[in-house]
Amino acid sequence: MPQPTAVNPAPDSYVYCPRCATPLVTQPVMDKPRRVCPACRFVHFTDPKVGVGVMVVVDGRILLVRRAMNPEKGKWSIPAGFVDSGEDPKETAVREAAEETGLRVTISGLVDVYFNPPAEPGAPGASIFILYKAEWVDGILRAGDDAAAAAFFGPDELPELAFASTKDAIQRLRLM
Ligand SMILES: [Zn+2]
């Protein structure tokens, strides 16, 4: 049986095959070294993690949530979360807004798509972040899920902000 190679091409790569528990080897697959199972031919593709957020603006003020968890715990960001496998990112955005702020929103447009390389290998966070524009339909503002607080802020009364995408959204708010 082949031995697992000592050097893994990525810090989150597997040592053993998640399908059949055979030690993986590193081989070039589609122009990159990847972890491959010599028994069942499983290939570990390290897929990007996708996050989505909503930019909800009412009377020139933007909806932000205070983060209850790392990364950037205690700072404020736009309501956001990770896309589940098989989930439409727009549904994720609506779901996360409801979970974190109590507000039911509808998606009204795409603001931008961001690429966030991890601060260090394996660091938490999304490598691809989709920011939607959304409108408040109904619901009452209350913090929930992994948000410690939820509130609207004008561009001149901002709290400490998390993430480049939030700062970019604020910059766009100033230009609106
Ligand atoms: Zn296998």
Side-chain angles (χ1 to χ4, degrees), residues 31-165:
D31 299 330
K32 277 190 180 174
R34 302 180 200 272
R35 301 294 277 166
V36 177
C37 177
C40 76
R41 305 313 298 170
F42 167 83
V43 179
H44 180 214
F45 291 98
T46 51
D47 296 322
K49 209 165 179 185
V50 180
V52 294
V54 288
M55 183 174 171
V56 181
V57 177
V58 176
D59 297 331
R61 303 168 90 216
I62 190 168
L63 177 62
L64 298 176
V65 294
R66 188 158 189 258
R67 298 182 52 78
M69 294 195 302
N70 276 320
E72 306 269 38
K73 181 179 176 180
K75 295 185 186 177
W76 293 74
S77 73
I78 40 190
F82 292 115
V83 179
D84 281 336
S85 176
E87 187 177 37
D88 184 326
K90 287 179 182 167
E91 287 172 21
T92 309
V94 169
R95 175 173 60 76
E96 292 289 345
E99 288 174 3
E100 296 188 347
T101 72
L103 302 189
R104 194 163 71 87
V105 303
T106 56
I107 303 300
S108 56
L110 174 68
V111 178
D112 212 336
V113 178
Y114 302 84
F115 174 60
N116 304 315
E120 55 198 75
S127 55
I128 293 173
F129 186 78
I130 305 167
L131 179 58
Y132 291 110
K133 180 108 171 59
E135 312 302 321
W136 180 359
V137 177
D138 59 26
I140 296 164
L141 188 62
R142 55 123 194 87
D145 201 32
D146 51 357
F152 284 89
F153 293 91
D156 299 318
E157 53 185 23
L158 293 168
E160 193 179 7
L161 301 174
F163 306 127
S165 47

